[in-house]
Amino acid sequence: DIQMTQSPSSLSASVGDRVTLTCRAGQSVSTYLNWYQQKPGKAPKLLIYGVSTLQSGVPSRFRGSGSGTDFTLTISSLQPEDFATYYCQQSLSTPLTFGGGTKVEIK
Amino acid sequence: EVQLVESGGGLIQPGGSLRLSCAASGFTVSGDYMGWVRQALGKGLEWVSVIYSGGGTYYADSVKGRFTISRDASKNTLDLQMNSLRADDTAVYYCARVSVTRVYYIDVWGGGTTVTVSS
Protein backbone atom coordinates (compact mmCIF):
# COMPACT_ATOMS: atom_id res chain seq x y z
CA ASP A 1 0.00 0.00 0.00
CA ILE A 2 1.17 3.54 -0.72
CA GLN A 3 1.72 5.52 2.47
CA MET A 4 0.48 9.10 2.60
CA THR A 5 1.76 11.60 5.16
CA GLN A 6 0.20 14.96 5.87
CA SER A 7 1.68 17.91 7.68
CA PRO A 8 1.06 19.61 9.92
CA SER A 9 -1.40 17.42 11.80
CA SER A 10 -3.16 20.58 12.95
CA LEU A 11 -2.86 24.30 12.57
CA SER A 12 -4.52 27.40 13.93
CA ALA A 13 -5.41 30.23 11.62
CA SER A 14 -7.63 33.27 11.42
CA VAL A 15 -10.38 34.16 8.98
CA GLY A 16 -8.76 35.72 5.94
CA ASP A 17 -5.44 33.91 6.36
CA ARG A 18 -3.74 32.07 3.53
CA VAL A 19 -3.23 28.47 4.58
CA THR A 20 -1.09 25.76 2.99
CA LEU A 21 -1.44 22.06 3.79
CA THR A 22 1.11 19.49 2.69
CA CYS A 23 0.77 15.86 1.62
CA ARG A 24 3.64 13.53 0.82
CA ALA A 25 3.40 10.12 -0.83
CA GLY A 26 5.72 7.24 -0.02
CA GLN A 27 6.30 6.75 -3.74
CA SER A 28 5.40 8.71 -6.82
CA VAL A 29 1.66 8.87 -7.45
CA SER A 30 2.09 11.11 -10.49
CA THR A 31 -0.95 13.38 -10.50
CA TYR A 32 -3.32 10.87 -8.91
CA LEU A 33 -4.01 12.87 -5.78
CA ASN A 34 -7.32 13.91 -4.25
CA TRP A 35 -8.32 16.14 -1.34
CA TYR A 36 -11.33 15.82 0.93
CA GLN A 37 -12.80 18.07 3.60
CA GLN A 38 -14.49 16.64 6.67
CA LYS A 39 -16.47 18.52 9.28
CA PRO A 40 -17.28 17.03 12.70
CA GLY A 41 -19.97 14.38 12.59
CA LYS A 42 -20.15 14.44 8.80
CA ALA A 43 -18.86 12.28 6.00
CA PRO A 44 -15.89 13.58 4.03
CA LYS A 45 -16.60 15.68 0.97
CA LEU A 46 -14.51 15.70 -2.20
CA LEU A 47 -12.79 19.02 -2.82
CA ILE A 48 -10.18 18.39 -5.47
CA TYR A 49 -9.25 15.45 -7.69
CA GLY A 50 -6.37 14.85 -10.02
CA VAL A 51 -4.19 17.28 -7.99
CA SER A 52 -5.90 20.47 -9.07
CA THR A 53 -9.39 19.94 -10.50
CA LEU A 54 -12.03 21.45 -8.25
CA GLN A 55 -15.13 19.36 -7.67
CA SER A 56 -18.30 21.11 -8.81
CA GLY A 57 -19.41 23.72 -6.30
CA VAL A 58 -16.07 24.06 -4.51
CA PRO A 59 -15.00 27.69 -4.11
CA SER A 60 -12.05 28.92 -6.13
CA ARG A 61 -10.16 29.90 -2.96
CA PHE A 62 -9.15 26.22 -2.79
CA ARG A 63 -6.16 25.34 -4.95
CA GLY A 64 -4.24 22.11 -5.29
CA SER A 65 -0.78 21.66 -6.74
CA GLY A 66 2.11 19.23 -6.95
CA SER A 67 3.15 16.04 -8.66
CA GLY A 68 5.10 12.91 -7.92
CA THR A 69 5.42 12.70 -4.16
CA ASP A 70 4.78 16.24 -2.90
CA PHE A 71 1.45 18.01 -2.96
CA THR A 72 -0.16 21.06 -1.41
CA LEU A 73 -3.64 22.32 -0.76
CA THR A 74 -3.84 26.09 -0.44
CA ILE A 75 -6.79 28.04 0.87
CA SER A 76 -6.21 31.60 -0.29
CA SER A 77 -8.44 33.36 2.22
CA LEU A 78 -9.76 31.20 5.02
CA GLN A 79 -13.49 31.47 5.61
CA PRO A 80 -15.44 30.42 8.73
CA GLU A 81 -16.89 27.40 6.91
CA ASP A 82 -13.39 26.15 6.03
CA PHE A 83 -12.52 25.13 9.58
CA ALA A 84 -12.43 21.37 9.20
CA THR A 85 -10.09 18.43 8.74
CA TYR A 86 -8.54 17.88 5.32
CA TYR A 87 -7.40 14.53 3.97
CA CYS A 88 -5.33 13.75 0.93
CA GLN A 89 -5.78 10.46 -0.92
CA GLN A 90 -3.71 8.81 -3.61
CA SER A 91 -5.58 7.18 -6.47
CA LEU A 92 -2.68 5.64 -8.35
CA SER A 93 -3.20 2.18 -6.90
CA THR A 94 -5.70 0.36 -4.74
CA PRO A 95 -6.39 0.64 -1.92
CA LEU A 96 -6.78 4.38 -2.40
CA THR A 97 -4.95 5.26 0.80
CA PHE A 98 -5.54 8.41 2.81
CA GLY A 99 -3.19 10.66 4.68
CA GLY A 100 -3.66 11.13 8.39
CA GLY A 101 -5.37 14.49 7.99
CA THR A 102 -4.73 18.12 8.86
CA LYS A 103 -7.14 19.80 11.24
CA VAL A 104 -7.59 23.51 10.56
CA GLU A 105 -8.71 25.27 13.73
CA ILE A 106 -9.72 28.80 14.56
CA LYS A 107 -7.02 30.93 16.15
CA GLU B 1 -30.56 11.71 -6.61
CA VAL B 2 -27.47 9.58 -6.09
CA GLN B 3 -27.36 8.54 -2.45
CA LEU B 4 -25.98 5.94 -0.03
CA VAL B 5 -27.58 5.12 3.31
CA GLU B 6 -25.94 2.75 5.78
CA SER B 7 -27.65 0.66 8.43
CA GLY B 8 -26.84 -2.17 10.80
CA GLY B 9 -24.46 -0.56 13.24
CA GLY B 10 -24.79 -0.87 16.99
CA LEU B 11 -23.26 -2.07 20.22
CA ILE B 12 -21.85 -5.58 20.09
CA GLN B 13 -19.74 -7.64 22.45
CA PRO B 14 -16.22 -8.69 21.50
CA GLY B 15 -16.31 -11.84 19.41
CA GLY B 16 -19.77 -11.05 18.08
CA SER B 17 -21.02 -10.44 14.54
CA LEU B 18 -22.76 -7.61 12.76
CA ARG B 19 -23.91 -7.11 9.20
CA LEU B 20 -23.78 -3.62 7.77
CA SER B 21 -25.86 -2.74 4.76
CA CYS B 22 -25.63 0.23 2.42
CA ALA B 23 -28.67 1.05 0.32
CA ALA B 24 -27.93 2.83 -2.92
CA SER B 25 -30.29 5.02 -4.90
CA GLY B 26 -29.78 6.73 -8.22
CA PHE B 27 -27.31 4.14 -9.49
CA THR B 28 -26.64 0.39 -9.49
CA VAL B 29 -24.11 -0.98 -7.00
CA SER B 30 -23.44 -4.08 -9.05
CA GLY B 31 -21.56 -2.19 -11.73
CA ASP B 32 -19.55 0.12 -9.54
CA TYR B 33 -16.36 0.18 -7.49
CA MET B 34 -17.69 0.33 -3.95
CA GLY B 35 -16.25 -0.01 -0.50
CA TRP B 36 -16.31 0.60 3.21
CA VAL B 37 -14.16 3.20 4.92
CA ARG B 38 -14.02 3.43 8.70
CA GLN B 39 -13.01 6.12 11.13
CA ALA B 40 -12.32 5.54 14.78
CA LEU B 41 -13.18 8.42 17.10
CA GLY B 42 -10.70 11.22 16.60
CA LYS B 43 -8.73 9.25 14.02
CA GLY B 44 -8.25 9.26 10.28
CA LEU B 45 -9.89 7.40 7.40
CA GLU B 46 -9.10 3.75 6.74
CA TRP B 47 -10.26 1.52 3.90
CA VAL B 48 -11.79 -1.62 5.35
CA SER B 49 -12.86 -3.42 2.21
CA VAL B 50 -13.49 -2.82 -1.47
CA ILE B 51 -15.37 -4.65 -4.18
CA TYR B 52 -14.38 -3.74 -7.70
CA SER B 53 -16.70 -3.46 -10.65
CA GLY B 54 -15.44 -6.82 -11.91
CA GLY B 55 -16.15 -8.51 -8.57
CA GLY B 56 -12.65 -8.70 -7.16
CA THR B 57 -12.23 -7.72 -3.54
CA TYR B 58 -9.72 -6.11 -1.19
CA TYR B 59 -9.54 -6.35 2.58
CA ALA B 60 -7.34 -4.46 4.98
CA ASP B 61 -4.95 -6.79 6.78
CA SER B 62 -6.65 -5.95 10.07
CA VAL B 63 -9.98 -7.42 8.93
CA LYS B 64 -8.86 -10.17 6.53
CA GLY B 65 -10.53 -13.46 7.37
CA ARG B 66 -13.11 -11.78 9.60
CA PHE B 67 -15.02 -9.43 7.28
CA THR B 68 -16.75 -10.23 3.98
CA ILE B 69 -17.96 -7.67 1.47
CA SER B 70 -20.76 -8.45 -0.96
CA ARG B 71 -23.32 -6.88 -3.24
CA ASP B 72 -27.02 -7.74 -3.45
CA ALA B 73 -28.23 -6.74 -6.90
CA SER B 74 -31.87 -7.47 -6.10
CA LYS B 75 -31.84 -5.00 -3.20
CA ASN B 76 -29.20 -2.68 -4.71
CA THR B 77 -27.17 -2.85 -1.53
CA LEU B 78 -23.55 -3.20 -0.52
CA ASP B 79 -23.08 -5.34 2.56
CA LEU B 80 -20.32 -5.97 5.05
CA GLN B 81 -20.47 -9.08 7.20
CA MET B 82 -18.29 -8.56 10.24
CA ASN B 83 -17.38 -11.55 12.40
CA SER B 84 -15.12 -12.01 15.42
CA LEU B 85 -15.39 -8.34 16.21
CA ARG B 86 -12.72 -6.73 18.36
CA ALA B 87 -12.58 -3.52 20.35
CA ASP B 88 -10.36 -1.94 17.71
CA ASP B 89 -13.12 -2.40 15.12
CA THR B 90 -15.06 0.32 16.95
CA ALA B 91 -15.59 3.13 14.45
CA VAL B 92 -17.98 4.94 12.18
CA TYR B 93 -18.29 2.91 9.00
CA TYR B 94 -18.91 4.80 5.78
CA CYS B 95 -20.10 3.26 2.54
CA ALA B 96 -18.46 4.85 -0.48
CA ARG B 97 -18.61 4.79 -4.24
CA VAL B 98 -15.45 5.33 -6.24
CA SER B 99 -15.85 7.20 -9.48
CA VAL B 100 -13.92 5.35 -12.15
CA THR B 101 -13.01 7.85 -14.81
CA ARG B 102 -9.58 9.11 -15.81
CA VAL B 103 -8.91 9.72 -12.14
CA TYR B 104 -10.37 7.65 -9.32
CA TYR B 105 -11.99 9.41 -6.39
CA ILE B 106 -14.81 8.88 -3.93
CA ASP B 107 -17.72 10.84 -5.31
CA VAL B 108 -20.51 9.52 -3.07
CA TRP B 109 -20.36 8.87 0.66
CA GLY B 110 -23.01 7.56 2.99
CA GLY B 111 -23.70 9.31 6.26
CA GLY B 112 -22.05 6.56 8.28
CA THR B 113 -23.15 3.96 10.80
CA THR B 114 -21.50 3.53 14.19
CA VAL B 115 -20.15 0.20 15.37
CA THR B 116 -19.17 -0.08 19.01
CA VAL B 117 -17.48 -3.27 20.20
CA SER B 118 -17.50 -3.41 23.96
CA SER B 119 -18.47 -5.70 26.81
Side-chain angles (χ1 to χ4, degrees), chain B residues 63-94:
Chain B
V63 307
K64 210 170 285 184
R66 300 188 297 124
F67 290 11
T68 303
I69 192 170
S70 61
R71 288 187 283 227
D72 187 327
S74 65
K75 297 179 182 177
N76 204 29
T77 60
L78 177 73
D79 300 317
L80 186 69
Q81 178 66 41
M82 306 187 295
N83 299 330
S84 303
L85 282 161
R86 311 185 308 216
D88 61 359
D89 295 317
T90 295
V92 176
Y93 285 71
Y94 294 103

Side-chain angles (χ1 to χ4, degrees), chain B residues 34-71:
Chain B
M34 304 282 301
W36 292 91
V37 176
R38 70 184 179 185
Q39 185 172 39
L41 188 63
K43 302 296 184 182
L45 302 166
E46 176 194 22
W47 280 103
V48 174
S49 182
V50 169
I51 186 163
Y52 304 108
S53 53
T57 58
Y58 159 85
Y59 296 95
D61 286 344
S62 58
V63 307
K64 210 170 285 184
R66 300 188 297 124
F67 290 11
T68 303
I69 192 170
S70 61
R71 288 187 283 227

Side-chain angles (χ1 to χ4, degrees), chain A residues 40-62:
Chain A
K42 300 293 186 182
K45 166 190 159 186
L46 178 69
L47 285 180
I48 289 173
Y49 60 92
V51 172
S52 59
T53 302
L54 265 59
Q55 174 70 334
S56 176
V58 174
S60 58
R61 63 181 178 272
F62 291 92

